[in-house]
Amino acid sequence: MDLGLKDKTALVLGAGGGLGGAIAHALAREGARVVLADIDGTAAGRAASALDPQRSLALQWDLADLDVIPERLAAIRERFGDVDILINNTGGPAPSPAAEQPVSTWRQGFDSMVLPVIAITDAVLPAMRARGWGRIITSASSGVIAPIPNLGLSNSLRSTLLGWSKTLAREIARDGITANIIVPGRIATARIRFLDEEKARRDGKPVAQISAASTASIPVGRYGEPEEYADTVAFLAGQRAGYITGSVVRVDGGLIASI
């Protein structure tokens, strides 16, 4: 299936990590020119190293620094033109309960996970509107549908983006731009390994036991692969997904039990 992404310019945030890197590679395979942005410039460069250097660009980008947005977008524009596809993908906060967290912790999470997504999206929208085409895809967490115990900050902050994306989708639909949320379940990344290790530490159990119990709760009986998640993102970014907007798409192996 041709997704119609040839020569589209895609900006993937958090591209130095497992999900972001896999998304960048999936879009590149479909013919897109890909910008891989990450706070860790070395990780972004490593993820880009397997791609065509003429059609990829690695950028060190601290998303919490909103002042650098014009500069980074100017660098992208100079190399590939305006952004057609924006993949909003941010790291998650440390495990924590929702209760009795310092206000400074909430503010830091909001400033690093929510505001950058909104600000960068707002910065790329005018060019998308002018061309009459664009894709805004925001990676969230299964916690926005079924809150995950001891991930109070993540559940809450990512849910903010859920309401924002749905509202945005209705505002920009007539401009030929879609906005969707994509929700990973248990995808085999460093983040999930970290969460399993933290739960094992809290519960005083071996990591293997925690992972086995988690796997048993997934109907397909395994963790997902980053490439499976990335392929879903690539479809949503493509021409054929033009009638899908304002949606929350689950890639969870059936994990989330709610309808």
Side-chain angles (χ1 to χ4, degrees), residues 84-171:
D84 299 295
I85 300 161
L86 173 61
I87 308 299
N88 289 314
N89 176 53
T90 66
S96 69
E100 300 179 343
Q101 295 300 311
V103 170
S104 59
T105 300
W106 286 105
R107 183 174 289 119
Q108 180 183 16
F110 190 81
D111 287 349
S112 62
M113 292 176 58
V114 178
L115 275 183
V117 167
I118 295 171
I120 294 170
T121 299
D122 283 346
V124 302
L125 274 176
M128 289 182 178
R129 279 180 154 143
R131 292 192 303 278
W133 196 93
R135 299 287 185 264
I136 308 293
I137 301 171
T138 303
S139 184
S141 159
S142 61
V144 303
I145 300 172
I148 302 169
N150 207 50
L151 286 183
L153 286 166
S154 177
N155 297 336
S156 304
L157 294 169
R158 295 193 193 280
S159 292
T160 300
L161 291 173
L162 206 65
W164 163 80
S165 180
K166 181 67 173 181
T167 306
L168 178 69
R170 294 181 64 86
E171 295 175 355

Side-chain angles (χ1 to χ4, degrees), residues 184-204:
R186 305 287 292 180
I187 309 295
T189 63
R191 168 72 173 175
I192 291 299
R193 286 196 299 274
F194 167 73
L195 293 177
D196 282 351
E197 289 166 359
E198 285 295 294
K199 182 171 175 54
R201 182 185 59 78
R202 290 194 309 272
D203 295 353

Side-chain angles (χ1 to χ4, degrees), residues 206-223:
V207 175
Q209 185 175 341
I210 296 297
S211 298
S214 180
T215 300
S217 70
I218 303 171
V220 301
R222 62 176 176 85
Y223 285 8

Side-chain angles (χ1 to χ4, degrees), residues 35-68:
V35 180
L36 301 91
D38 200 279
I39 191 171
D40 184 341
T42 300
R46 188 164 51 245
S49 64
L51 303 179
D52 181 349
Q54 300 302 314
R55 301 180 61 80
S56 61
L57 173 65
L59 289 178
Q60 191 281 327
W61 194 336
D62 180 356
L63 299 183
D65 185 356
L66 303 185
D67 291 338
V68 306

